Amino acid sequence: MRHGLSVPNFGTGLDAARVAEWARSAEDAGWDGFFLWDHLFAFADGPVDVVDPFLALTAAACTTRTIRLGTLVTPLPRRRPLVVARQSVTLDRLSAGRLVLGVGSGAGPFEWDFCGEESDPVVRGEMLDEHLELLSRLWSGEPVRQEGRFYTVAGPDWAARCHPPSLQQPRIPVWVGGTWPGTRPFARAARWDGVVPMRVDGRWTVGDTAAVSARMRSLRDGTDAPFEIAVPGESDPADGSRRSTFADHEAAGATWWVEAVHPWRYGDPGQGEWNLDAMQERIEAGP
């Protein structure tokens, strides 16, 4: 099982340089992956700094050599496929093939209803499916024509050709996020390269990992292509039992442990300073 970090793309005092520093520290400390959230606004009142995840990960790619980089997760329905295709391939090539694209349909009104985006979550899911299929074709570098329900890339005797193709083949790995025990996100994930489950009603357990693993085996029956199950968690480097916890999740089917490193672990950022130093210390402590 590999170990990654999940870090917000917002926080008082956070900028792309700090993200790059965290990614380099994570690589030095032995983490296998460094993943940024993708939000337009912070989950707190007041002026809070936010960085664009693709630009910040570009800075991270320039300071690292081996660690996987990516978003967990990008709500694709509020991004244009052609723009995402160019951003992701550029970052994939810059990082020498280390990019993972985590995706989801998004939730909450702040980045949807209040910004004039699609408010119906069912429609957003349909947009996500069409977006992913188009994006995968655009990554090929071959001519693409599409006149879909949500996205059009076509003209008289014209097709879009996004060149160069992604460095990773057959495509940049796509991991799909979803709230367990939902249905549609996990059926969607089974068609791609990985799943990033989460709970909103409590901590993630070994039983949850086993249940997700069983669901994905059922949905992917007959498919032997590699598939990642990236489970969420929080571990204390001073806790000597954490290795057995990791082993239990691995035995239950997890291929990644994604450590959530966010300011809420160290107090309420809405009531004071965002404790970025404590986050840095957890990153430097390693998995």
Side-chain angles (χ1 to χ4, degrees):
M1 185 170 68
R2 286 175 285 183
H3 299 262
L5 294 163
S6 170
V7 181
N9 67 313
F10 52 78
T12 300
L14 184 66
D15 58 17
R18 186 77 179 248
V19 169
E21 179 185 356
W22 281 350
R24 185 176 63 252
S25 296
E27 184 173 87
D28 291 343
W31 296 97
D32 302 298
F34 181 85
F35 306 109
L36 271 185
W37 302 4
D38 184 349
H39 288 285
L40 298 173
F41 307 102
F43 303 159
D45 295 331
V48 179
D49 303 317
V50 180
V51 297
D52 179 87
F54 287 95
L55 288 174
L57 288 171
T58 296
C62 292
T63 63
T64 58
R65 292 293 179 269
T66 61
I67 196 169
R68 277 271 177 187
L69 303 170
T71 55
L72 286 184
V73 297
T74 289
L76 282 187
R78 62 169 168 78
R79 290 185 177 267
R80 301 300 300 175
L82 286 165
V83 176
V84 174
R86 290 300 83 216
Q87 289 174 324
S88 55
V89 168
T90 299
L91 183 50
D92 185 48
R93 287 181 164 270
L94 176 65
S95 66
R98 291 183 284 133
L99 180 65
V100 172
L101 183 65
V103 302
S105 57
F110 299 99
E111 298 177 346
W112 300 96
D113 309 54
F114 300 167
C115 295
E117 301 286 356
E118 176 58 56
S119 60
D120 187 333
V122 174
V123 175
R124 289 203 301 268
E126 294 167 350
M127 293 174 70
L128 174 56
D129 288 330
E130 186 177 325
H131 194 309
L132 281 172
E133 294 294 342
L134 175 56
L135 185 60
S136 182
R137 294 167 62 205
L138 292 170
W139 282 337
S140 73
E142 297 299 320
V144 173
R145 287 181 57 87
Q146 174 161 318
E147 295 182 71
R149 177 183 172 191
F150 304 106
Y151 306 107
T152 297
V153 181
D157 301 316
W158 179 87
R161 186 168 191 172
C162 292
H163 200 80
S166 62
L167 185 60
Q168 296 181 84
Q169 291 295 324
R171 59 173 174 251
I172 295 167
V174 174
W175 297 359
V176 178
T179 300
W180 182 255
T183 301
R184 292 180 180 176
F186 296 90
R188 178 178 299 118
R191 301 193 295 270
W192 296 93
D193 308 299
V195 65
V196 188
M198 62 174 289
R199 295 201 76 107
V200 296
D201 58 353
R203 287 185 175 272
W204 192 259
T205 69
V206 173
D208 292 327
T209 296
V212 168
S213 181
R215 172 81 65 84
M216 302 318 297
R217 283 196 303 272
S218 175
L219 290 169
R220 290 173 55 80
D221 184 37
T223 302
D224 58 3
F227 189 80
E228 307 290 356
I229 298 178
V231 301
E234 297 179 10
S235 63
D236 184 347
D239 182 1
S241 67
R242 74 186 188 284
R243 296 294 177 189
S244 63
T245 299
F246 298 155
D248 289 344
H249 282 279
E250 183 175 17
T255 62
W256 281 81
W257 171 277
V258 181
E259 182 85 16
V261 180
H262 51 71
W264 289 274
R265 288 181 64 168
Y266 310 103
D268 183 357
Q271 303 299 317
E273 292 296 317
W274 291 62
N275 201 336
L276 302 187
D277 290 339
M279 294 170 63
Q280 171 106 25
E281 290 176 5
R282 179 64 192 95
I283 292 169
E284 292 176 347

